[in-house]
Amino acid sequence: MARSITIQRRIIVAGIAAVLSIAVAARAAQETPVSVSGEGAAAGLGPAARSSAIQDAQEAIVLDRLEKLAPSRDFSIFTPLLQAAPTFFQSFKLLRETKTEDSTRVEIEGQLLDRKLKREIAGVALEQNFVTPRIIVIAREQLTPESPGDLAKPGIIEKKLQEDLKRIQFEIVSPEALREKIPPEKWEECITGPPEYSAMLARDLLADIVVLAAGTTRIEDERAAGKLNRVRAEVGLRVVRVEDGYVLDAPKAEAVVHCVNPGEGSAQAIEDACGRLIGDAKTAVALGALSGAPEGALLVTIEGTSESAQANGILDAIQRCLNADKHEILYQGDQRVRARIDFAGPVGQIVDCAPGIPVPNGRLVVKSVVDRDVTLILERK
């Protein structure tokens, strides 16, 4: 998804004991709307009825998004959002209008401000205490001038994200517990690798969401001694739902700092850039905890193998047994394979058929079933 990049310019004059910062300007690109269509109806004829029918169509579109983003909820608490449906459209056009003796029906095409709507839905969910997700933050940063990173203790990005997300009401896994379960040598693969890898590790910490972050800085304009240097920082996030390894959002931000001391300027710039991402992270975390994995999917983990041919053979057999459409491998490695199967039927079917699937020199055993998440073990004979 294309994301806007926010640039915050600050001037920092660094002395021996203090850093003076002055905010100069901020620039944010407008949200890119999403094309949608919908139908609505209203009693009566004429301009007033047409306007009411258009608003009904807009409310129907917003309600459809609500049902996808916040399934199985009491939608009465979202009534103010539905009533304000027109404010979530940048524009719309009337495609069709039909009339009966006493009613008007319309079809519209609109430009939906989807990110704005998501922010509002997340805000309501947080106000109602619908979600109190448990979060892991895994972050790395490369500052200018280059300095050896010490992942044994939290860096600038990790501290900033943990502090700001904790203020909202989210539960944050402590740095000590994180490093005990997920050693820092695995962090690079978490941050740059497939999202299911970090999600798999996060399950052992009973987390709901993983926030993966990476940041870099560079000196764009190096000046003579006593003059100001210009340092630019770039920070990117991936907010991952642990249940199925789905990337909820991947926002990016930048910050520019003018400074005498490049080291202090780099630290300030990367913290500023990170701060610009808290709103997007808050929305993604809240909606991720609110919605859960799709009902039309079955998540299957097979422990005891990481061989492609064997894993695909087992998944093909499960797919045939369930009469499912297809499967997708989310992660493969460390004697474990995790996949998503398009299947909306009862989860009990896989419990019944898995033990009967023929496996050379082994057998499948059901280890656990949690909602629509099934773990199987390949036991060797």
Side-chain angles (χ1 to χ4, degrees):
M1 178 184 297
R3 300 302 320 283
S4 63
I5 295 180
T6 302
I7 300 178
Q8 183 183 36
R9 299 187 180 275
R10 304 186 69 180
I11 295 178
I12 296 182
V13 181
I16 295 176
V19 175
L20 174 64
S21 60
I22 305 172
V24 179
R27 175 174 61 85
Q30 284 189 334
E31 175 183 346
T32 301
V34 177
S35 295
V36 293
S37 61
E39 296 182 352
L45 303 172
R50 182 189 303 115
S51 296
S52 295
I54 289 172
Q55 179 161 343
D56 186 59
Q58 292 171 325
E59 290 178 3
I61 292 169
V62 170
L63 180 59
D64 181 65
R65 291 296 290 138
L66 269 170
E67 290 173 342
K68 288 180 171 64
L69 294 168
S72 304
R73 299 290 172 181
D74 176 8
F75 289 119
S76 64
I77 63 153
F78 294 109
T79 298
L81 296 188
L82 293 174
Q83 293 173 340
T87 66
F88 297 111
F89 288 83
Q90 186 181 77
S91 62
F92 72 89
K93 62 180 179 180
L94 184 63
L95 298 179
R96 187 175 297 106
E97 179 180 3
T98 57
K99 300 176 181 179
T100 64
E101 292 183 356
D102 57 358
S103 67
T104 300
R105 177 173 291 276
V106 300
E107 180 182 354
I108 66 168
E109 180 179 271
Q111 299 299 308
L112 179 68
L113 299 171
D114 199 49
R115 298 195 69 81
K116 177 182 177 181
L117 177 59
K118 286 180 177 179
R119 287 194 298 269
E120 294 297 326
I121 295 172
V124 172
L126 291 170
E127 287 175 5
Q128 298 291 327
N129 294 318
F130 276 171
V131 292
T132 53
R134 181 174 165 86
I135 301 172
I136 288 175
V137 176
I138 297 177
R140 65 158 167 77
E141 60 221 26
Q142 181 60 59
L143 302 182
T144 304
E146 292 189 10
S147 58
D150 182 10
L151 293 179
K153 56 184 180 181
I156 297 170
I157 296 177
E158 185 178 352
K159 286 180 181 177
K160 179 66 174 174
L161 289 172
Q162 287 182 342
E163 290 171 359
D164 287 0
L165 292 174
K166 186 179 289 186
R167 284 194 195 100
I168 296 170
Q169 71 176 36
F170 301 144
E171 178 187 356
I172 309 296
V173 174
S174 71
E176 296 77 20
L178 171 63
R179 285 160 174 78
E180 181 181 350
K181 286 288 187 179
I182 307 178
E185 55 264 27
K186 292 187 177 182
W187 287 17
E188 183 65 25
E189 187 174 357
C190 288
I191 292 168
T192 62
E196 176 56 34
Y197 179 71
S198 59
M200 176 190 71
L201 297 177
R203 290 183 199 109
D204 292 336
L205 283 162
L206 303 179
D208 302 297
I209 303 289
V210 180
V211 179
L212 305 171
T216 60
T217 63
R218 66 180 186 273
I219 300 176
E220 291 190 323
D221 191 4
E222 191 169 1
R223 306 297 176 89
K227 302 295 183 179
L228 296 180
N229 301 285
R230 184 172 67 193
V231 180
R232 181 181 297 271
E234 300 177 354
V235 177
L237 305 182
R238 282 196 298 171
V239 184
V240 180
R241 186 167 55 205
V242 170
E243 185 177 1
D244 58 351
Y246 179 71
V247 178
L248 297 156
D249 201 0
K252 296 179 181 179
E254 293 184 353
V256 173
V257 162
H258 291 79
C259 59
V260 171
N261 186 315
E264 293 179 342
S266 292
Q268 185 63 63
I270 210 160
E271 182 176 348
D272 289 350
C274 188
R276 308 296 296 182
L277 296 171
I278 298 302
D280 288 333
K282 168 186 170 182
T283 297
V285 168
L287 292 180
L290 189 64
S291 60
E295 289 296 319
L298 189 66
L299 299 170
V300 178
T301 300
I302 304 172
E303 297 181 353
T305 184
S306 56
E307 299 174 7
S308 295
Q310 186 175 49
N312 276 302
I314 293 173
L315 290 167
D316 285 340
I318 293 174
Q319 186 178 315
R320 288 193 298 271
C321 178
L322 298 176
N323 195 26
D325 294 332
K326 62 179 180 179
H327 72 263
E328 175 191 2
I329 292 182
L330 303 172
Y331 173 77
Q332 188 170 330
D334 296 332
Q335 289 296 297
R336 184 179 303 189
V337 174
R338 187 164 171 84
R340 179 190 293 112
I341 299 176
D342 289 347
F343 177 68
V347 70
Q349 285 187 230
I350 191 173
V351 176
D352 294 336
C353 71
I357 293 175
V359 180
N361 302 317
R363 62 171 186 163
L364 284 178
V365 176
V366 178
K367 178 182 178 180
S368 65
V369 178
V370 180
D371 295 327
R372 300 187 65 77
D373 195 332
V374 180
T375 300
L376 308 174
I377 299 177
L378 176 55
E379 291 187 348
R380 304 291 181 178
K381 291 182 180 179

